[in-house]
Amino acid sequence: LGQGVEGAAYLCGNWVIKSFYNCTSILKYKACSRETEENAHLDIWRRLSPECKHYVCQPIKVNSEKFTLQRVAREDGWTSVNLANLFTPKETPLEIETEIKNAELCLKEAGYVHNDLYTTVYDGKTRRYLKMYNNIVLLWREVSLYEVVYSVKFIDFGHASQV
């Protein structure tokens, strides 16, 4: 799915496996560790309403210092892939953008902000927020020859914060 300063995430069938290989946090005020991310993810999962849980991969508690495990699919029949591998932010279909906004609202209702879906870029004159899709898994299912249903799942809660 992607690599960052602190680790890499892999999509393996119905699972996201995240490995941690470096723990120097970009955010000075926030500790960086597998445990920090796992605890935030577990707390988010507990706080989410049943309707909102389909926007977040289900965390699975594992006994490892270097890995976390998450369940992706909602049920059989869904295909999953890293959203960044299919679309750039400018060409993303409206129904997927709507799913992303709904997922962000669900996190907010649970008392959290992801903090790793957007990045700030300064070009010398202005600051702009750019979308990053490497922390979003896209799921889709063909319901007929002419209709596809989309859903998104957020991953990587290492920089999530409570609001």
Side-chain angles (χ1 to χ4, degrees):
L1 289 170
Q3 286 186 300
V5 187
E6 300 154 359
Y10 305 94
L11 184 61
C12 303
N14 198 25
W15 303 96
V16 171
I17 300 170
K18 180 144 185 211
S19 65
F20 294 81
Y21 51 73
N22 186 7
C23 211
T24 31
S25 181
I26 299 167
L27 303 174
K28 293 183 177 23
Y29 62 87
K30 191 155 186 114
C32 159
S33 71
R34 181 209 55 80
E35 185 179 11
T36 301
E37 178 168 341
E38 185 175 60
N39 288 340
H41 195 161
L42 289 166
D43 191 43
I44 289 167
W45 186 258
R46 276 191 300 273
R47 293 170 177 240
L48 286 172
S49 67
E51 301 82 34
C52 287
K53 285 190 176 182
H54 78 267
Y55 290 118
V56 174
C57 290
Q58 180 182 4
I60 307 295
K61 190 100 165 128
V62 294
N63 189 18
S64 171
E65 295 291 317
K66 299 273 186 186
F67 298 96
T68 60
L69 183 64
Q70 305 165 35
R71 184 174 181 275
V72 178
R74 295 171 12 171
E75 62 220 25
D76 290 338
W78 290 84
T79 303
S80 55
V81 68
N82 182 1
L83 182 57
N85 292 343
L86 291 182
F87 302 107
T88 66
K90 288 185 179 178
E91 62 187 20
T92 303
L94 180 60
E95 56 265 45
I96 296 173
E97 284 291 334
T98 302
E99 285 286 297
I100 293 169
K101 290 295 176 201
N102 289 340
E104 288 180 292
L105 287 172
C106 279
L107 278 183
K108 191 171 183 179
E109 286 176 14
Y112 276 87
V113 176
H114 191 283
N115 287 328
D116 205 8
L117 297 175
Y118 302 92
T119 186
T120 305
V121 175
Y122 185 68
D123 64 6
K125 297 177 186 172
T126 58
R127 284 182 188 212
R128 295 179 291 134
Y129 290 96
L130 298 179
K131 296 177 185 176
M132 299 176 3
Y133 284 156
N134 59 326
N135 290 327
I136 301 175
V137 175
L138 175 69
L139 293 94
W140 76 89
R141 178 178 57 162
E142 293 182 14
V143 292
S144 72
L145 186 58
Y146 304 105
E147 185 180 1
V148 176
V149 176
Y150 295 103
S151 184
V152 297
K153 296 249 185 183
F154 287 173
I155 61 168
D156 193 354
F157 295 96
H159 296 294
S161 60
Q162 289 184 288
V163 290

